[in-house]
Amino acid sequence: MTAAAADLPAHLEGWMPQRVAIEPASDRQAAEHVHRLATRHYENFPVASVVLPATLRPHFHAVYAFCRWADDLGDEVEGTSESLALLDWWRSETTAMFAGESPRHPVFVALKPTAERFGLTPEPFLDLISAFEQDQTVTAYETFAELRDYCRRSADPVGRIVLRLLCAYDERNVARSDSVCTGLQLINFWQDVDRDADIGRRYLPTEDLDRFGYSLQDYEARRTTPAFLELMRFEVDRAADLLGAGRPLADRLGGRFGAAIDLFAAGGLTICRKLRGIDYQVWETRPTVGKRDAAALLAGAMSRSLRRLVTR
């Protein structure tokens, strides 16, 4: 593996395969590493500092660090072949840890006691890796089933792992968590149609373009046509339906975690409303959730949480 250190984020460069092979991380190094990753990247882990009790934070930090590493091995390493090689290494480290081998990388040193305490299984972690590998080779989707399968591996595993950490893993909760996770990912795609086109990615399925009469030529030219607006209306409604179907998970979890789920779902639904408010013209405008929106979302989530407490 030849990725130049200068091309890598510092946390990757410090614990690549060559170092891990000769210098396994200590428990102290592992705890410091995952804590530093989680607390430095709270823009991607926004609820943890407020929602998590102190006893759970190290476990969430370990899971977050796994996801951060896998994501960066896919996105921050120059060259497809290099990324794929490193993701394959990450898979082998994951498989070895779950097979009972003593881990050497700080992420897995930190993750192993979490996996043992909460009965975590390798499948969601391996699914995440497979999704990051797919990002290296797949830039467009022919059918919604293909896109849904990608979301199943790139978004849903995080919710499933969190349910394990909350000791709330059951069939109904998993189904609702999957709805929220996939809904959030889809609405992010529809919010970023223009940005994704800039980097050569298309998440709007070809079958949906065909259904609404929006050609690939129109897409490549970024034309806003009546067909495109109807296509986007359909996609946004589909994401909103998923978020709505998953939102009852907040009631099932209750407390601070229910409020967090409610906040996530409400945030996604706010983006849906903003997309409708710009008449789906995402080639021209990217809707965002501003500070005022965030404050309203937080107040609404807290109010709904209090109502749930009162009515129980």
Side-chain angles (χ1 to χ4, degrees):
M1 298 173 187
T2 60
D7 295 331
L8 297 172
H11 66 273
L12 296 187
E13 185 270 329
W15 289 101
M16 294 296 274
Q18 297 86 340
R19 177 180 177 184
V20 173
I22 62 175
E23 184 187 347
S26 67
D27 290 343
R28 179 185 60 80
Q29 287 174 312
E32 290 176 351
H33 182 76
V34 301
H35 174 78
R36 185 167 58 251
L37 272 185
T39 54
R40 286 184 179 178
H41 290 271
Y42 271 133
E43 73 278 6
N44 297 320
F45 204 46
V47 178
S49 61
V50 176
V51 169
L52 296 177
T55 54
L56 281 180
R57 283 177 197 153
H59 303 294
F60 274 81
H61 290 172
V63 170
Y64 175 83
F66 173 92
C67 298
R68 177 80 271 148
W69 261 82
D71 191 12
D72 286 347
L73 290 176
D75 284 349
E76 302 295 337
V77 175
E78 186 175 352
T80 296
S81 61
E82 189 73 13
S83 284
L84 288 172
L86 286 167
L87 286 167
D88 187 60
W89 162 67
W90 201 242
R91 176 187 289 101
S92 69
E93 295 290 300
T94 304
T95 302
M97 186 205 74
F98 278 103
E101 296 182 22
S102 296
R104 303 175 66 86
H105 191 281
V107 168
F108 294 102
V109 172
L111 186 59
K112 186 175 178 65
T114 296
E116 292 172 346
R117 174 176 170 179
F118 293 95
L120 302 183
T121 62
E123 288 78 16
F125 296 91
L126 297 176
D127 281 344
L128 284 167
I129 295 170
S130 75
F132 292 129
E133 289 174 325
Q134 184 167 315
D135 286 336
Q136 301 299 309
T137 57
V138 177
T139 59
Y141 291 84
E142 294 300 309
T143 67
F144 181 72
E146 292 176 359
L147 183 62
R148 180 64 186 87
D149 178 68
Y150 172 72
C151 294
R152 179 188 62 79
R153 290 175 289 114
S154 64
D156 296 358
V158 176
R160 293 180 175 220
I161 295 168
V162 167
L163 288 176
R164 293 281 189 190
L165 298 185
L166 299 182
C167 300
Y169 191 98
D170 63 36
E171 184 175 344
R172 185 180 298 181
N173 285 353
V174 166
R176 289 173 173 169
S177 173
D178 288 353
S179 287
V180 172
C181 291
T182 290
L184 288 172
Q185 180 144 31
L186 289 176
I187 206 62
N188 179 255
F189 291 154
W190 312 149
Q191 179 185 23
D192 284 337
V193 169
D194 188 56
R195 287 187 176 186
D196 288 330
D198 286 341
I199 59 173
R201 292 187 180 277
R202 174 172 59 81
Y203 294 101
L204 288 165
T206 303
E207 69 176 4
D208 292 346
L209 270 65
D210 292 343
R211 175 178 178 176
F212 288 93
Y214 190 69
S215 69
L216 283 174
Q217 292 77 14
D218 286 334
Y219 174 87
E220 290 165 0
R222 309 190 191 196
R223 296 189 183 104
T224 298
T225 66
F228 179 74
L229 300 180
E230 287 303 307
L231 166 64
M232 291 306 303
R233 184 194 308 274
F234 172 78
E235 302 294 5
V236 170
D237 286 349
R238 178 149 59 183
D241 287 346
L242 284 165
L243 291 168
R247 203 167 184 179
L249 179 61
D251 293 321
R252 295 209 80 202
L253 294 181
R256 65 179 77 184
F257 298 111
I261 295 298
D262 192 48
L263 186 60
F264 283 130
L269 290 168
T270 295
I271 294 294
C272 291
R273 287 194 294 272
K274 286 180 172 286
L275 286 164
R276 292 169 182 142
I278 62 169
D279 194 26
Y280 310 101
Q281 298 185 55
V282 292
W283 289 130
E284 295 80 14
T285 305
R286 181 183 184 271
T288 59
V289 175
K291 292 182 179 179
R292 183 174 298 178
D293 297 313
L297 288 169
L298 181 59
M302 292 176 66
S303 175
R304 286 185 290 274
S305 181
L306 287 171
R307 285 201 300 273
R308 285 193 291 269
L309 288 174
V310 170
T311 55
R312 283 184 175 180

